[in-house]
Amino acid sequence: MFDIERWQEIFETLRKNKLQTFLTGLSVASGIFILVILLGFSSGIQNGVKSQFERDATNKISIWAGRTTKGYKGLNPGRRIQLKNQDFNKLSNDYADFLEYESANYMIWRALVNYGKESNNYRVWGSLPDYQFIENSDIGEGRFINESDLNNSSKVAVIGNKIKQDLFKGEDPIGKHVSIYGINFKVIGVYYDPGGEDEESQIYIPLTTAQKSFNGADRINNMSYTVKMPQNFDKGVELSQNITLAIEDQLKQMHTVAPNDIGAIRVNNNLEEAQKIFSLVDVIKLIFWFVGIGTIIAGVVGVGNIMLIIVKERTKEIGIRKALGAVPLSIVGMILQEAIFVTMFSGMFGLILGLGLLEVIGPLVKNDFIKYPQVDFNTALTTVFILVIAGAFAGFFPAYRAAKIKPIVALRDE
Amino acid sequence: MIQIKDLHKSYHMGSNSLHVLKGINFNVKEGEMVSIMGSSGSGKSTLLNIIGILDEADSGSYVLDGVPIKNLNEKVAANYRNKFLGFIFQSFNLINYKSALDNVAMPLYYQGIKRKERIEKAEYYLEKVGLTPWLNHLPSELSGGQKQRVAIARALASNPKVLLADEPTGALDSKTSQEVMELIQGINDEGKTILMVTHEHDIAQMTKRIVHLKDGVIIDDSPVQQVRASVYV
Ligand SMILES: Nc1ncnc2c1ncn2[C@@H]1O[C@H](COP(=O)(O)OP(=O)(O)O)[C@@H](O)[C@H]1O
Ligand SMILES: [Mg+2]
């Protein structure tokens, strides 16, 4: 391997066989290039999907009610199911052991909000203090709603960063008043949400205030919880699935809804969704590796083929070398080292080209589901390892063939 | 130097087989210069290849410098070729992408000699064959006679016991043939054992002994009065 004479020999033969060397290199380089790009994008997809789930806490369970679609116990279909404070209190109480954060929400879908001359329609949530954590929002300035706001039904509001930009135009909103349908609320905080602009265009006020000020009485639109997560992700998924089912059953009984009515009570489970998508991402990753490895195998077969042709073309030379005293091992070593060198060199070229391309286009990719496509160090190392193996494979059969040729047969070759 | 007893060799092609050597017996002593003659297809090359350990006989015995050559594995065979034998071929068999110097240095590479020493030796032998100005030329830039002289320098480089030449002048015109033969005679004058295959009578006359091959056996083996090669014919 470290015989300098051998290297001189190899460089000489490669220089004299430029076309074959180039073709060999091209097939390996493109194989590795494609693998790197595929791996980059599979990690990009992974990052993208992860960031989609950053919108809300992954272990969130969200409960909505609608109209019944089936008749049940003498009640007609089309009946509207209304969630109330007592539903929330009952569930919170029954499942206290398993729940982490909890919030009942009363919501105004589109409320007219003014600040000075600026006005716009935003969604307003009457919520509990925990909702900040369920929504995964960051309080950038000021604070979120707290217990005493709730107890006093204070007219305070936490606005999203987008609203701050729309209505306040760079002014500091904390302590200023916005009016919601003509009722003044003091801004106590601004929040940011990794989920993006939509998630930052909402206003949170205390649930009690919302119900009193906007005609809500004891009605709520939504209940949200997060599940206490055990260490094991799969256990967590199982637990939250069980809780989801139990809550759904219980609510259906409480509101006399048919067990198989999927419209009246809907319980969404983020974790289950997350697991589905994550396993889909795993499948995508697997497919990409599969395609990439396939490409490399094609490259290796190509290299092997070209090496075979080279060996065939150099049969006479091999005969001459044998006549001059070359032992089979030195012929094998020469061919094998040549193959490994060519695959390594061109593979590295493909690797660097691929990494370079990812580096350049990575930041330009503006898609919610593909973010920061890149290949990490370990993956790059793995591909290099694959390269060496591939080179050895590609060289083995031609080398074996070359070593087996009888000198007299090789010399007769024209 | 060479002892051959009852050597047989057949070629098999499918169900046909061709019995080429049918019991060859002859010895070559150190310092001899022998030519093997015979018509085309009489088995001259076959015999020389067996002597050169490039091929193997089916039966009979062959002893080279006291070493029985039989059932050698390819590694040992390669070492013996390198140590005992120098080859000169009709078609030169130079490696076309290597310079004259590197071609001549190649057998030394397989002896494990360091590059500096290889180059020195190769330069020495190329000077001996009168090619010092052509050291760095590729074979394609040389004439036929020059190529054969590179091949002779290469055969000498490893200082072998025996020089084997298969129709060394077969691809050369008569003037160049004389030049090459003059060179080979000079090498023999210095004491090197030379075994040469030719089908040309006047070339055979330039050796010291002619072995005549016909129908797979030696029909004549006699010394000759050596005719010196002359560049001025
Ligand atoms: N590898 C081979 N396979 C089959 N037949 C061969 C082979 N080599 C030589 N022969 C045959 O053996 C005979 C002797 O060949 P060769 O030794 O080359 O003769 P010469 O050198 O005297 O012309 C010829 O008839 C030739 O066709
Ligand atoms: Mg012949």
Side-chain angles (χ1 to χ4, degrees):
Chain A
M1 256 311 159
F2 300 105
D3 178 2
I4 191 144
E5 307 283 345
R6 175 69 71 69
W7 283 112
Q8 283 167 346
E9 285 271 298
I10 285 175
F11 285 128
E12 207 158 49
T13 36
L14 292 183
R15 206 165 37 230
K16 300 302 169 184
N17 298 289
K18 281 195 193 84
L19 183 66
Q20 287 96 328
T21 308
F22 174 75
L23 291 176
T24 309
L26 193 69
S27 60
V28 174
S30 48
I32 288 291
F33 178 76
I34 291 170
L35 178 70
V36 168
I37 297 293
L38 286 181
L39 292 180
F41 272 87
S42 90
S43 87
I45 289 174
Q46 207 172 2
N47 292 338
V49 167
K50 251 196 219 140
S51 81
Q52 286 297 305
F53 278 95
E54 277 169 10
R55 296 165 70 115
D56 300 322
T58 320
N59 51 346
K60 173 180 172 182
I61 293 177
S62 178
I63 302 150
W64 301 84
R67 287 179 190 278
T68 56
T69 56
K70 292 190 161 64
Y72 188 58
K73 292 191 173 164
L75 294 166
N76 287 331
R79 185 166 55 93
R80 194 187 149 85
I81 304 298
Q82 179 62 58
L83 298 175
K84 302 223 163 123
N85 287 348
Q86 68 209 50
D87 293 311
F88 175 74
N89 294 337
K90 174 113 177 73
L91 289 183
S92 298
N93 196 43
D94 289 357
Y95 295 92
D97 287 349
F98 306 105
L99 301 176
E100 186 183 24
Y101 298 116
E102 47 193 42
S103 175
N105 303 301
Y106 177 70
M107 192 171 65
I108 299 105
W109 286 97
R110 282 166 59 83
L112 184 66
V113 181
N114 291 69
Y115 173 70
K117 286 197 199 93
E118 304 293 337
S119 73
N120 206 342
N121 288 304
Y122 298 106
R123 184 169 308 166
V124 173
W125 294 78
S127 296
L128 303 186
D130 276 2
Y131 202 55
Q132 173 190 357
F133 305 109
I134 299 175
E135 271 294 302
N136 220 12
S137 38
D138 280 334
I139 296 301
E141 299 150 41
R143 62 171 179 85
F144 200 71
I145 300 158
N146 64 21
E147 287 297 330
S148 88
D149 297 330
L150 207 65
N151 295 337
N152 301 331
S153 305
S154 315
K155 293 201 172 58
V156 293
V158 178
I159 65 173
N161 183 43
K162 179 74 168 43
I163 301 173
K164 175 188 164 188
Q165 288 167 3
D166 285 353
L167 298 187
F168 287 89
K169 312 275 184 205
E171 234 181 284
D172 179 10
I174 305 291
K176 309 268 162 53
H177 286 81
V178 290
S179 91
I180 302 174
Y181 283 134
I183 301 170
N184 276 337
F185 284 77
K186 186 163 130 198
V187 177
I188 54 166
V190 178
Y191 72 88
Y192 299 82
D193 193 301
E197 274 199 358
D198 270 2
E199 301 266 310
E200 287 183 349
S201 307
Q202 304 180 22
I203 296 181
Y204 298 107
I205 61 178
L207 175 65
T208 47
T209 319
Q211 285 173 334
K212 279 180 192 149
S213 305
F214 301 110
N215 209 14
D218 61 348
R219 294 195 299 272
I220 54 179
N221 302 89
N222 165 271
M223 303 185 278
S224 293
Y225 296 101
T226 62
V227 179
K228 279 185 189 149
M229 280 299 279
Q231 286 293 328
N232 182 310
F233 183 79
D234 290 329
K235 280 230 175 70
V237 173
E238 202 184 307
L239 176 65
S240 75
Q241 272 171 337
N242 290 340
I243 293 174
T244 305
L245 289 176
I247 287 179
E248 195 175 327
D249 275 358
Q250 189 171 346
L251 280 174
K252 279 176 180 169
Q253 272 175 29
M254 283 158 64
H255 291 272
T256 328
V257 171
N260 59 356
D261 188 335
I262 53 170
I265 301 287
R266 294 187 307 277
V267 184
N268 299 328
N269 181 346
N270 264 19
L271 209 52
E272 207 174 337
E273 299 291 307
Q275 193 198 29
K276 272 183 205 154
I277 304 251
F278 284 143
S279 62
L280 184 68
V281 169
D282 282 345
V283 170
I284 291 174
K285 261 170 94 175
L286 204 70
I287 290 172
F288 279 12
W289 267 102
F290 191 75
V291 171
I293 296 286
T295 320
I296 289 187
I297 288 174
V300 166
V301 171
V303 175
N305 249 323
I306 292 171
M307 292 299 293
L308 264 179
I309 293 170
I310 292 181
V311 166
K312 212 163 162 41
E313 270 181 3
R314 289 169 63 191
T315 300
K316 179 122 189 173
E317 179 191 330
I318 289 167
I320 296 169
R321 285 175 183 269
K322 286 188 167 178
L324 297 180
V327 297
L329 196 66
S330 86
I331 301 282
V332 170
M334 182 174 79
I335 307 279
L336 211 60
Q337 204 169 323
E338 226 174 275
I340 292 177
F341 175 75
V342 171
T343 36
M344 274 289 271
F345 185 82
S346 48
M348 286 297 180
F349 186 75
L351 185 70
I352 289 168
L353 211 67
L355 291 177
L357 188 70
L358 285 180
E359 199 67 28
V360 172
I361 64 163
L364 304 180
V365 176
K366 289 263 191 299
N367 183 308
D368 278 352
F369 288 96
I370 305 175
K371 278 210 169 95
Y372 323 119
Q374 63 194 6
V375 170
D376 63 67
F377 182 72
N378 279 341
T379 315
L381 217 62
T382 310
T383 53
V384 171
F385 181 71
I386 290 173
L387 272 177
V388 181
I389 302 281
F393 252 104
F396 179 75
F397 289 101
Y400 184 76
R401 184 180 181 277
K404 279 283 161 210
I405 312 174
K406 278 186 165 177
I408 185 61
V409 175
L411 277 171
R412 227 181 270 130
D413 190 83
E414 280 311 324
Chain B
M1 181 62 63
I2 293 171
Q3 287 107 33
I4 285 176
K5 270 203 203 84
D6 199 25
L7 206 69
H8 285 261
K9 175 76 180 175
S10 301
Y11 290 112
H12 304 276
M13 291 154 296
S15 56
N16 299 334
S17 79
L18 184 66
H19 201 168
V20 180
L21 301 179
K22 304 171 179 170
I24 302 288
N25 291 286
F26 85 117
N27 296 334
V28 177
K29 289 202 272 296
E30 185 163 2
E32 274 199 281
M33 183 173 185
V34 183
S35 56
I36 300 169
M37 281 205 72
S39 54
S40 178
S42 58
K44 305 182 296 290
S45 296
T46 304
L47 178 57
L48 199 75
N49 289 335
I50 291 170
I51 294 173
I53 327 181
L54 294 170
D55 205 353
E56 227 186 334
D58 300 332
S59 67
S61 82
Y62 164 32
V63 177
L64 172 62
D65 198 34
V67 181
I69 305 299
K70 185 111 189 144
N71 295 330
L72 305 180
N73 70 36
E74 183 45 36
K75 187 182 170 198
V76 177
N79 284 329
Y80 283 1
R81 284 195 291 268
N82 187 266
K83 208 161 75 183
F84 290 130
L85 304 162
F87 294 92
I88 302 167
F89 302 93
Q90 177 175 354
S91 54
F92 322 124
N93 281 348
L94 299 176
I95 292 177
N96 54 27
Y97 60 82
K98 284 182 180 289
S99 69
L101 191 69
D102 284 339
N103 265 287
V104 175
M106 183 159 282
L108 302 170
Y109 172 71
Y110 290 116
Q111 282 182 345
I113 293 173
K114 290 266 158 287
R115 179 160 181 89
K116 189 163 173 286
E117 193 184 338
R118 283 204 315 258
I119 297 298
E120 279 167 10
K121 282 198 176 182
E123 280 172 351
Y124 169 77
Y125 284 104
L126 278 166
E127 189 189 340
K128 208 172 155 82
V129 300
L131 284 179
T132 301
W134 306 90
L135 288 181
N136 295 314
H137 285 68
L138 291 175
S140 57
E141 299 160 346
L142 301 174
S143 71
Q146 286 172 325
K147 279 187 222 175
Q148 198 57 299
R149 283 193 277 161
V150 173
I152 291 169
R154 182 180 64 184
L156 291 174
S158 55
N159 192 23
K161 300 263 183 190
V162 182
L163 216 58
L164 301 175
D166 192 344
E167 311 260 10
T169 60
L172 306 175
D173 62 38
S174 63
K175 182 171 177 292
T176 320
S177 295
Q178 293 288 331
E179 286 171 8
V180 165
M181 281 313 294
E182 190 183 27
L183 194 58
I184 294 176
Q185 282 180 336
I187 293 162
N188 177 245
D189 292 346
E190 290 173 9
K192 187 81 68 194
T193 312
I194 295 175
L195 209 58
M196 195 176 92
V197 161
T198 182
H199 65 274
E200 292 170 82
H201 197 70
D202 53 337
I203 296 292
Q205 295 298 323
M206 295 179 190
T207 65
K208 294 171 176 171
R209 172 183 162 195
I210 300 179
V211 173
H212 209 111
L213 219 58
K214 195 176 180 196
D215 295 331
V217 291
I218 293 172
I219 54 164
D220 186 46
D221 181 350
S222 35
V224 288
Q225 183 59 45
Q226 188 183 38
V227 175
R228 296 303 290 192
S230 166
V231 187
Y232 307 103
V233 285

